[in-house]
Each structure stands twice: as structure tokens, then as C-alpha cells.
Amino acid sequence: MQRDTNQYIYRQLYNHLKSDMLASKYESHEKLPSKRNMAKHMNVSVNSVKAAYEQLLAEGYIYTEERKGYFVEPLGKLIINLDAQNLRTSYESAAEINYDYSFSHMSTDISDFPIDIWTKLTKRVFQDYDHYLSSIPNVKGPIELRQSIAKLVSYQRGVQCHPEQIIIGSGTNTLLMKLIQLMSENVRIAVENPGYSRFRDILKQTHTQMAPISLDNKGISIEGIKNAQPDAIIVTPSHQFPMGTIMPVSRRISLLNWASKTQSYIIEDDYDSEFKYETDNIPSLFSFDKNERVIYLGTFSKTLMPALRMSYMILPTKLVEKFEAQNQNAIPDFSILNALTLNLLIKDGYYEKHLKKMHQIYGKKRAYLIEQLEMIFGENIDIKDTQAGLHFIIEVVSPYSYEEIESRAKEYKLELYTINRFNVTALQNNSERKILIIGFSKIEQQQIPDAVQRLKKVINATSGTI
Ligand SMILES: Cc1ncc(COP(=O)(O)O)c(C=O)c1O
């Protein structure tokens, strides 16, 4: 046995004996030397041998017989597949890009997150809700949070529901997966195109039939839906993702009528409806529905932060029963500690206060960004300025393809997404007009002029009028 000064002697002896046993150097049921003899033979203390034997015994390499000593267990031979020898042995983590400025639509500004209040409320959860923290919780989430959300969506989104219709989840994606499990086996789901690519990924992963439907100036095309004949559709009526259209009431009524005639479901992804600038909140599609055809998806990723992983869905009553039956033995996939803290944040009025503050901050950033884009790009930009959410769309003239724009943005350390990411099939690059998604939540106010200058360099919009 080779000595290693960094390892306990007993551990070295244990490893040595273990590898000899695995290499079949010992016969099955062979008697091991007594502790004293082994100690002498290996030039180690009896205590070290004792500890090594105890460990081998605990792991099942050896067994004892009273007053007879230690024997080798028949171990069998581990089959090693030759193919497995060539498997990847090292992994490289994807390199993190350090952007100087971000136009990401996914991020939120967390510099004003009420950290002290959150921490204080978390402590309160430990004091007042220990019964929740120390037992297996309800799969739908703590009833207190579901009651708070029911009140919140009632006055913010016009949604009238019972707290039992609400299911908390660790993200809109995981909730969509649960929803698919509630539907019949060969369900066909239509999605907006362009639309949220992560939903399309979920449909692929769950082998769900997907029908991409194009948009017109009112949102998802009714003709397209009728042709595709899906069982359900996923839509973003309050602020189409990514194009920004607010679905007018006429299209909402047509959608609801289609759903009740065909007994299909509409999954309403209301991801950023809390933010409206210069208009009042637009009521949700769920609030128009009189026939239990709408499933509502809401999230705290935009109003608080994406890392919280707190989202929820509101099911029609018929699906609640099915969900409960299907999930009798399931346990929640989100942090109950965070869920209860979030409940206190809402209940004690801090959430509402934070929302108001962020509304102002985002409103200012948005206005300043639009002003700078207009000033720096002049006639070379068309800003599709919907007064909602945390991003808008711009059209610019650029000699570069979408792929080139994306890689140039990385070179210039600018986080930027183009419409290409959200289209089902990559767009042809034969038009000089390029559509970009401009998120304004993460960028700091004072960075805006410089970031816009850099954007201009990335797309090289020196000529061409929109
Ligand atoms: C279109 C869309 N839907 C939903 C979400 C929310 O996802 P989650 O609740 O999983 O964070 C986002 C987040 O950015 C989004 O862009």
C-alpha cells in the first residue's frame, strides 16, 4: 500500500482492500487476516485496521462470523460496457458573457427590491408558520397565498375565482407541463407565431402536437385557429409576446366564442400585464369568460424577480377536480418558505407599494429610451410603441442578417434579441428591415444614451429610411 500523507491511514487501508476485492484479488468467503496480523503486515496500528474493517463491513464488502473473524462477501463482477469507456468525462460550463448593457426582455430591475422587508417577513414565517415549514405541504401551495392571489387578481385583472382554483408553481413552464398532463392524450395545442419560444420547447419535450398560428393586427388569427382545429391555444392578449399588440375586445369575443363552440381551452399567459403606461389596466380574457373555457397563467417574475420562481395558474372548476385527483400524492415543486413570505408581502401591502414604485421607474426608463432612440436613429427607426409591459419592438434598416446582428451585439457586449428567436422557422434575411425586441427593465437610466449609440453601431443603421 502506497502511503499518502494527506489521507487518514485507515482510509488508505480501506481503499486498498476495497480495490483488491473489486479486482477479484480475494476469493468469495475468503477469511481476512485478523486485525492484529493485518496491522503487523501493513505496518499500521490495530485501531486503523479496525476502522477500515468497520467501514468495509458497513458497505457490505465483508461480513463477520462470531469468534471466527472477517470474510469477503461474494461481490459479483460489475459489467463494464465498452461503449461507456468512450463517454464524455469532462464538462465545460458555457462561458458567461459579461454584457455592458442589456436590452433583454426577460430581466427585471432588482436594485429596488425591498430586501430588508423580505428578510423581516421571512423571519416572521419561521415564527408564525412553522407547522407549514416542517411538514409535507399541499401541492397547490399554502391556502393563505392562494387567498391573497385571488384578491389581487380580482382587483388588478378582474378575475373572479375561488382560491381553490389557484395552483402555485415554480414557473409558467412547469405549470404548462402540469396543464398538458390534465388534457387528453393526443392534445393539439396552437401557439402564437412569433411567440414565446420556451412554451414551444415544452410542447416538444412533452411530445404534444403543436400548431403555430400567425398574427394579424389584432393578434392571433381566428382563421388560422379554425384551420388548425386545436384543442387548446396559448395566447398573450394583454401584450402579445413579442410583438406587443394589445388584443382588442372584438378579437377577444371571437376567441371566446370559438372556444365555447368547439369546447376548447384558451390558455391566457398574462405575463406582464401589471405594467401599463398612460392607460388603465386592460381586463384579462379570463374576466370575460362566462363558459369556463379560459385557463389563466400569472407570474411574479416581472413584478418581483425571475429568480423567485413563483407563478400560478387559475383553472376552470372542472379542471380543478381533475388536477386534485391526478396530484393526490404529489408534492410542490417550489419553495414554501418563499411562498409564505410572498403571501405576507402581498397581505401587508408591500407588494402593491413595490409595484407602484417599479411602475414609475420603468415608465421613466421607457420614455427616456424612446426619446434617445428617436434622437440617435432619427428617420432610421420605427418604434412600435405599445404602452404596456417591459419591452417594445423596433424596426430598423440594417445591412446585416439576424445572425450577424446577434453575433455583433455579443462583440459589442450588448444583450440583444431579434425576432428570429421567437419565430417558429428562422426568418429569411432578404429584407433590410430588421425587427428587434427592446427590453428596458434591466438597463440603468444613465446607461441609456451610451447603450443606444452602441445599438446603432451593432446594426450599422447609417442609411435607409424606415
Ligand atoms: C411570454 C412570457 N410568458 C411567461 C413568462 C414568465 O415565465 P416564468 O413565470 O416561468 O418566470 C415570461 C417571462 O419572461 C414571458 O416572457
Side-chain angles (χ1 to χ4, degrees), residues 106 171-173 196 199 236 241 269 271 299 301-302 309 311:
M106 290 290 293
T172 313
N173 280 9
Y196 191 41
F199 283 161
T236 44
F241 186 83
D269 176 19
Y271 66 104
T299 181
S301 292
K302 300 287 186 190
R309 307 314 303 136
S311 313

Side-chain angles (χ1 to χ4, degrees), residues 361-383:
I361 292 173
Y362 289 142
K364 270 194 200 151
K365 282 196 207 186
R366 182 178 167 281
Y368 188 43
L369 179 55
I370 290 176
E371 185 190 300
Q372 287 294 307
L373 285 167
E374 281 170 346
M375 196 179 87
I376 293 170
F377 281 79
E379 291 194 318
N380 302 331
I381 193 165
D382 183 7
I383 303 174

Side-chain angles (χ1 to χ4, degrees), residues 105-107 169-175 192 195-199 236 239-242 269-272 297-302 305-307 309-312 391 422:
H105 56 281
M106 290 290 293
S107 315
S170 66
T172 313
N173 280 9
T174 49
L175 288 167
E192 297 168 319
Y196 191 41
S197 52
R198 285 172 211 266
F199 283 161
T236 44
H239 189 219
Q240 201 280 331
F241 186 83
D269 176 19
D270 207 28
Y271 66 104
D272 71 357
L297 291 176
T299 181
F300 291 96
S301 292
K302 300 287 186 190
M305 61 173 140
R309 307 314 303 136
M310 272 290 140
S311 313
Y312 55 96
H391 75 272
F422 306 105

